[in-house]
Amino acid sequence: MRRRSGEPIYSTAITAGRTVFGVFRLRPAVTGLSNLPDAGGAVLAITHFGYADFALVEWMTWRKNRRHIRFMAKKGAFDKPVVGWLLRGMRHINVDMTAGAQAYADAVRALNSGELVGVFPEGGVNASFTVRDLKTGAARMAQEARVPIVPIAVWGGHRLLTKNHKPSLREAYRTPVAFAVGTPVHVGAEDDPQQVTHRLHGVLQELVDGLQARYPEPGAGRWWQPAHLGGTAPTPAEAAATEAERQRRKAAARAAATPTA
């Protein structure tokens, strides 16, 4: 089993996360845990419904085999003084959207050295709580590094902290958080990354469907349940429209803040 030593920042972060999750008395349930590799490189392709997904998956992985995950995180997070220091200390991978090739190369290098690299192939947090179209990066880097993709679905973590919903300590207390680790997806040298990505999407959605069907609390009429299951979350189309408008406003704000000659 591969164990990490000499990473005090990562170890401290894990201890802090375990403490927080313990205070909230989260109720984890995991299926497919044996699909998490104890050694060697792998791309962990994770659903993204809440902002705590990365910490929850690291918590689950640490409980299984004490391995550390190198998550790919946006440059904006690295630019923040304290958060950036933590991310660099935990050897996460800086994704600068204006220089994506560097992040891709860093991820492949980490995979080749036997690391677990965590990616959210949907991009940002998905407010519809369904799996939207995936980017092909996970398939391409797995293909280049000759490592498997391990699909991971998380359900319930979005009830702690997510987009468009104010977090509630009372609501988060004793929240069931379910994980499903799917059978590794192997990418051959001649495989089409787009087709692999399409297959990965189907696997992730199937894992999510299973978690939702087995979830111990009813979600009808609840904000955290997707619309197609009777919840009040926005439909995929509504969530996409809201996100497009949010991105438009951010772009306009950046343009307004850019000095002109």
Side-chain angles (χ1 to χ4, degrees):
M1 182 184 297
R2 182 185 179 89
R3 295 181 183 271
R4 280 282 169 187
S5 60
E7 292 193 55
I9 295 176
Y10 213 131
S11 298
T12 300
I14 289 175
T15 299
R18 290 174 61 205
T19 300
V20 171
F21 297 150
V23 167
F24 282 110
R25 297 186 67 183
L26 301 186
R27 294 182 285 161
V30 188
T31 59
L33 195 58
S34 62
N35 290 319
L36 275 177
D38 290 330
V43 177
L44 307 186
I46 309 161
T47 57
H48 205 15
F49 303 145
Y51 294 119
D53 290 338
F54 75 97
L56 290 166
V57 171
E58 177 57 56
W59 178 44
M60 175 193 68
T61 303
W62 185 91
R63 285 167 53 130
K64 198 259 182 177
N65 56 24
R66 302 302 192 261
R67 295 192 70 180
H68 293 171
I69 303 170
R70 311 306 173 185
F71 284 97
M72 301 187 75
K74 292 181 180 179
K75 180 178 180 294
F78 278 86
D79 289 341
K80 296 178 180 179
V82 176
V83 174
W85 177 80
L86 287 171
L87 292 174
R88 285 186 289 273
M90 296 167 74
R91 294 170 54 196
H92 293 314
I93 298 169
N94 188 345
V95 180
D96 183 347
M97 301 307 291
T98 65
Q102 183 59 56
Y104 178 87
D106 291 342
V108 171
R109 188 177 304 112
L111 292 167
N112 283 330
S113 66
E115 299 277 12
L116 298 176
V117 173
V119 302
F120 297 102
E122 296 175 83
V125 169
N126 183 359
S128 74
F129 309 139
T130 60
V131 183
R132 63 187 171 198
D133 290 344
L134 310 182
K135 302 180 185 302
T136 61
R140 291 187 291 108
M141 66 178 65
Q143 185 177 54
E144 183 169 341
R146 299 180 181 179
V147 299
I149 303 172
V150 180
I152 300 175
V154 184
W155 186 250
H158 58 301
R159 296 176 61 183
L160 307 178
L161 186 63
T162 193
K163 186 180 292 183
N164 304 328
H165 184 80
K166 186 177 180 180
S168 164
L169 298 180
R170 179 180 178 182
E171 193 171 43
Y173 187 67
R174 291 185 59 82
T175 294
V177 179
F179 305 85
V181 185
T183 302
V185 175
H186 295 277
V187 189
E190 303 302 320
D191 288 343
D192 179 359
Q194 189 64 55
Q195 292 181 357
V196 173
T197 300
H198 180 74
R199 179 157 52 102
L200 178 62
H201 179 278
V203 170
L204 286 173
Q205 186 61 65
E206 183 177 359
L207 293 175
V208 170
D209 291 343
L211 292 179
Q212 291 169 338
R214 298 188 299 271
Y215 199 64
E217 293 186 9
R222 305 294 297 275
W223 68 266
W224 47 264
Q225 186 82 324
H228 74 278
L229 292 178
T232 62
T235 65
E238 291 168 342
T242 300
E243 180 62 18
E245 175 60 22
R246 189 178 74 88
Q247 293 297 334
R248 186 197 65 78
R249 290 197 302 268
K250 286 179 63 177
R254 284 196 298 268
T258 301
T260 57

